[in-house]
Amino acid sequence: MNTRFARIVLSLCLSVIFLTSANAQDVAPLKVLLVTGGCCHDYPFQAEALKKAATERGIKIDWKVVNEGGNGTEAEIDLYKNEKWAEGYDVIVHNECFANTKNADYIRRITKAHFEGANAVVIHCAMHTYRAAEIDDWREMLGVTSRRHEHKSNYLVRNVMPKHAVMKDFPKEWVTPNDELYIIEKVWPDTKVLATSVSEKTGELNPVIWTHKYGKARVFGTTYGHANETFEDKVFLDVVINGIKWAAGK
């Protein structure tokens, strides 16, 4: 009888431990590294807008913001000197703009971490970062290749994958604040286009929101995000926060 009672108590204790652990995992904040800085955008404002958006949507995120490299188009930031720079984060958000940085070894130090499993969210000028590089490693990680953008306008965005988890809060159509359309030269394999916009100059469709599989990493991307007005727009913030959750596997 005592042995049976002890087994019951042990079983109950193990159940409590399991449930407590599961609940702790449910409420544990995501660990997100935001890499930002460089040319052409108000990065401090955009960083605070993302933090605020997550909080307003009840998403617990432990943010680390790295804003290095100044406001030019060429920089090799100290963050990537450590080979383990991405360890401990659920998602890396790239919202930087260093188009003329082209050191292949430096770039591959970044993409290697992603290929090995560092999930990513890539926003706007991340697509033109390392544009001058001869290697394609960064562009393959992004899931798209873009080297130029068109004029600022209020672009119509069509949701082409409304059942995808990232797009669940996205309307059938949305008109951007005054933003830039990036011209997509190539969509890489394992990229799933979620939304498109039409060039006002050529009439051609361009992917503007997508997901991608790069090695072991999940990658979410959007080419919009130039202006502060975009980072104040509910639809844009909804899709980016959903993209962070999706990339983290949540």
Side-chain angles (χ1 to χ4, degrees), residues 1-11:
M1 180 64 70
N2 288 340
T3 301
R4 183 181 179 187
F5 179 75
R7 288 176 177 170
I8 293 172
V9 171
L10 177 60
S11 178

Side-chain angles (χ1 to χ4, degrees), residues 168-179:
K168 66 184 181 69
D169 299 313
F170 204 95
K172 184 177 180 180
E173 293 183 343
W174 169 63
V175 177
T176 71
N178 198 31
D179 213 307

Side-chain angles (χ1 to χ4, degrees), residues 130-197:
Y130 315 132
R131 182 174 57 191
E134 295 180 3
I135 62 169
D136 271 334
D137 298 54
W138 177 258
R139 294 181 274 273
E140 183 179 1
M141 185 278 290
L142 298 173
V144 300
T145 295
S146 176
R147 291 181 173 87
R148 64 187 179 91
H149 63 75
E150 291 189 355
H151 58 281
K152 295 178 184 177
S153 186
N154 302 111
Y155 288 98
L156 178 67
V157 181
R158 287 192 170 90
N159 183 349
V160 299
M161 290 285 288
K163 294 184 179 180
H164 194 284
V166 169
M167 305 301 286
K168 66 184 181 69
D169 299 313
F170 204 95
K172 184 177 180 180
E173 293 183 343
W174 169 63
V175 177
T176 71
N178 198 31
D179 213 307
E180 297 171 337
L181 178 68
Y182 276 34
I183 302 304
I184 305 300
E185 300 174 7
K186 176 178 178 176
V187 175
W188 288 79
D190 298 319
T191 295
K192 182 179 293 186
V193 176
L194 305 183
T196 59
S197 289

Side-chain angles (χ1 to χ4, degrees), residues 101-112 130 133-139:
T101 300
K102 55 186 178 181
N103 181 334
D105 291 337
Y106 172 81
I107 295 167
R108 284 175 171 150
R109 203 176 305 143
I110 306 168
T111 57
K112 179 177 182 289
Y130 315 132
E134 295 180 3
I135 62 169
D136 271 334
D137 298 54
W138 177 258
R139 294 181 274 273

Side-chain angles (χ1 to χ4, degrees), residues 6-21:
R7 288 176 177 170
I8 293 172
V9 171
L10 177 60
S11 178
L12 289 171
C13 289
L14 290 173
S15 297
V16 170
I17 291 171
F18 174 79
L19 291 172
T20 301
S21 175

Side-chain angles (χ1 to χ4, degrees), residues 32-36 43-57 59 61 63 65 93-95 121 123 220 222 230-233 236-242 244:
V32 175
L33 171 62
L34 171 57
V35 184
T36 191
Y43 293 111
F45 178 90
Q46 293 179 1
E48 291 305 312
L50 289 176
K51 292 180 181 180
K52 181 181 177 183
T55 299
E56 290 177 346
R57 288 155 180 77
I59 310 303
I61 296 180
W63 296 89
V65 179
V93 177
H94 289 285
N95 187 33
V121 166
I123 300 173
F220 164 80
T222 176
T230 304
F231 276 83
E232 294 175 321
D233 187 281
F236 176 80
L237 292 169
D238 281 344
V239 79
V240 172
I241 297 302
N242 284 342
I244 291 174

